[in-house]
């Protein structure tokens, strides 16, 4: 696994009954134009709260979070204090790591991701707490053995020191097994109308040029538990198909693309192919036939644009003709 930041952006829960609460904390050294420390709180992969070292306060990012804070004002103070405390701890840890690894300059990033997942069908709770440094795993808490594991040799000193801190280990055990899922359940209750909604996407067929694959692109769906694939004669088709990842949109919805390479498909066989989108928890699927007339491209003008261009040219011709007539009439006077 690479950076925790990439994990935050692109990971998604596969089950329809699992909920998650994650805190992603990032501290930087030698990186310009961004806050020295940033904290994100995520519920079911949705940004619920934010803090940084510049604002020095916790900022709720969803209406349902603001409603929760109104009923639980002490929770806002807890997050603000955690943000401030983590900023100072992370800054000191980066200084320590740079000295330990003999790093005198450059840009460095220390991140942590912690929280819990709760299956509201089985009741299973899974806690997690891990750190990454400069894009690689650094140290991870094993909640089964209540010990820290060090993927990197440079983290072994930290492992020994944290394993010896029995008070912190006992707190972590209680927090990730009890406190974290308790708050997660409350968040899910307050945000259920938003977090548990289902939004179907708009689906389009896209192609860059005549030799490019045809991309079946779905955007605007929620949640991110979805699948999309190409079919041939009603059966899922795998040959010459490239599946893209589910990616977030700026508005909290998601998008996905699945490409079909057409070099081996005869034009008369296009009618045998279609693209299927299925959102988990929704019975209906969206089926899009492979139809050349429906493909949007950037290598030829759509009919509507062509009509506008032709209209403008005709208008220009009329204007020029009118100018000549006006000059001829004036010269004749």
């Amino acid at each position: 696994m690479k950076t925790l930041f990439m994990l935050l952006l692109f990971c998604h829960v596969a089950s329809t009954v699992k909920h998650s609460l994650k805190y992603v904390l990032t501290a930087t050294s030698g990186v310009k134009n961004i806050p020295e420390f940033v904290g994100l709180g995520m519920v079911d992969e949705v940004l619920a709260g934010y803090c940084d070292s510049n604002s020095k306060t916790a900022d709720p990012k969803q209406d349902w979070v603001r409603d929760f804070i109104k009923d639980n004002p002490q929770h806002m103070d807890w997050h603000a204090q955690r943000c401030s405390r983590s900023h100072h701890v992370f800054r000191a840890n980066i200084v320590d790591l740079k000295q330990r690894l003999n790093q005198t300059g450059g840009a460095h990033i220390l991140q942590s991701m912690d929280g819990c997942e709760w299956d509201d069908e089985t009741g299973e709770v899974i806690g997690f707490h891990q750190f990454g440094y400069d894009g690689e795993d650094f140290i991870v808490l094993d909640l089964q053995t209540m010990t820290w594991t060090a993927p990197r040799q440079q983290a072994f000193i930290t492992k020994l020191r944290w394993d010896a801190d029995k008070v912190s280990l006992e707190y972590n055990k209680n927090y990730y097994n009890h406190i974290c899922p308790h708050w997660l359940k409350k968040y899910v209750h307050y945000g259920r109308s938003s977090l548990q909604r289902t939004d179907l996407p708009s689906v389009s067929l896209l192609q860059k040029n005549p030799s490019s694959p045809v991309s079946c692109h779905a955007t605007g769906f929620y949640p991110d538990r979805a699948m999309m694939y190409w079919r041939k004669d009603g059966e899922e088709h795998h040959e010459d198909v490239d599946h893209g990842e589910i990616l977030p949109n700026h508005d909290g919805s998601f998008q996905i693309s699945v490409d079909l390479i057409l070099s081996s498909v005869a034009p008369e066989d296009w009618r045998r192919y279609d693209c299927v989108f299925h959102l988990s928890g929704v019975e209906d699927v969206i089926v899009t036939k492979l139809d050349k007339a429906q493909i949007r491209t950037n290598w030829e003008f759509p009919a509507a644009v062509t009509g506008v261009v032709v209209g403008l040219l005709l208008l220009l011709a009329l204007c020029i003709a009118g100018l000549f007539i006006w000059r001829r009439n004036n010269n004749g006077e």
Side-chain angles (χ1 to χ4, degrees):
M1 184 183 68
K2 295 300 182 182
T3 67
L4 293 176
F5 184 71
M6 295 300 291
L7 178 63
L8 165 70
L9 288 180
F10 301 119
C11 70
H12 61 276
V13 182
S15 169
T16 59
V17 295
K18 282 188 177 180
H19 301 282
S20 64
L21 171 60
K22 297 178 182 178
Y23 294 100
V24 178
L25 310 180
T26 303
T28 61
S29 174
V31 181
K32 297 181 179 179
N33 302 322
I34 65 171
E36 185 181 57
F37 177 83
V38 173
L40 306 177
M42 314 284 294
V43 178
D44 287 358
E45 309 302 336
V46 174
L47 181 62
Y50 171 90
C51 73
D52 63 43
S53 52
N54 291 343
S55 62
K56 298 180 181 179
T57 183
D59 181 20
K61 291 299 183 180
Q62 305 293 332
D63 288 339
W64 60 265
V65 179
R66 297 182 183 93
D67 292 338
F68 175 84
I69 295 299
K70 289 179 182 178
D71 296 337
N72 302 270
Q74 75 283 0
H75 210 63
M76 188 73 168
D77 295 335
W78 183 86
H79 280 93
Q81 291 173 11
R82 182 184 184 185
C83 181
S84 176
R85 182 172 61 253
S86 298
H87 173 209
H88 296 296
V89 171
F90 272 53
R91 182 167 56 186
N93 285 340
I94 284 187
V95 172
D96 178 67
L97 286 170
K98 288 171 63 176
Q99 293 176 347
R100 191 187 309 174
L101 301 176
N102 196 28
Q103 297 171 332
T104 56
H108 301 282
I109 300 175
L110 174 64
Q111 294 180 290
S112 77
M113 182 174 72
D114 74 293
C116 56
E117 291 183 348
W118 162 58
D119 190 317
D120 67 5
E121 186 173 88
T122 66
E124 180 185 20
V125 172
I126 300 175
F128 48 87
H129 193 185
Q130 55 200 86
F131 288 81
Y133 184 65
D134 286 351
E136 297 183 4
D137 288 346
F138 188 75
I139 191 167
V140 181
L141 177 62
D142 185 339
L143 284 166
Q144 300 297 321
T145 62
M146 291 310 301
T147 59
W148 291 89
T149 59
R152 294 178 61 177
Q153 182 180 0
Q154 294 89 341
F156 191 70
I157 296 176
T158 303
K159 165 187 163 53
L160 295 178
R161 185 166 67 244
W162 289 3
D163 280 348
D165 189 349
K166 301 302 180 184
V167 174
S168 293
L169 286 175
E170 190 62 30
Y171 171 82
N172 286 332
K173 181 179 180 179
N174 181 58
Y175 176 78
Y176 294 112
N177 289 326
H178 301 288
I179 298 176
C180 180
H182 170 73
W183 287 116
L184 172 56
K185 293 172 185 178
K186 284 185 173 291
Y187 293 149
V188 170
H189 173 74
Y190 272 80
R192 61 189 180 277
S193 61
S194 174
L195 298 172
Q196 298 178 8
R197 76 183 193 276
T198 54
D199 295 335
L200 291 174
S202 61
V203 180
S204 305
L205 297 179
L206 310 174
Q207 190 178 31
K208 292 181 180 179
N209 57 62
S211 60
S212 299
V214 171
S215 178
C216 186
H217 179 72
T219 185
F221 62 90
Y222 186 91
D224 61 345
R225 297 181 286 273
M227 59 188 302
M228 190 163 69
Y229 53 90
W230 281 98
R231 290 191 312 194
K232 180 181 180 183
D233 297 330
E235 299 290 334
E236 186 171 352
H237 183 69
H238 301 283
E239 186 178 352
D240 295 328
V241 172
D242 184 16
H243 290 269
E245 295 181 346
I246 294 179
L247 303 176
N249 290 323
H250 70 280
D251 61 357
S253 64
F254 297 91
Q255 61 173 292
I256 186 175
S257 294
V258 181
D259 294 347
L260 173 65
I261 300 174
L262 292 174
S263 57
S264 59
V265 180
E268 61 269 19
D269 289 336
W270 278 35
R271 59 183 177 80
R272 302 169 61 187
Y273 292 83
D274 55 38
C275 172
V276 179
F277 176 90
H278 181 218
L279 186 64
S280 181
V282 178
E283 290 187 9
D284 296 335
V285 298
I286 300 176
V287 179
T288 306
K289 289 285 187 180
L290 180 57
D291 183 351
K292 189 173 183 178
Q294 300 301 319
I295 296 177
R296 298 165 58 185
T297 71
N298 57 6
W299 51 272
E300 65 180 7
F301 287 115
V305 176
T306 302
V308 171
V309 172
V310 172
L312 289 174
L313 290 176
L314 288 174
L315 180 61
L316 179 61
L318 291 173
C319 290
I320 293 174
L323 178 62
F324 278 116
I325 294 172
W326 178 83
R327 283 185 172 179
R328 186 184 62 184
N329 290 339
N330 282 346
N331 291 336
E333 291 180 356

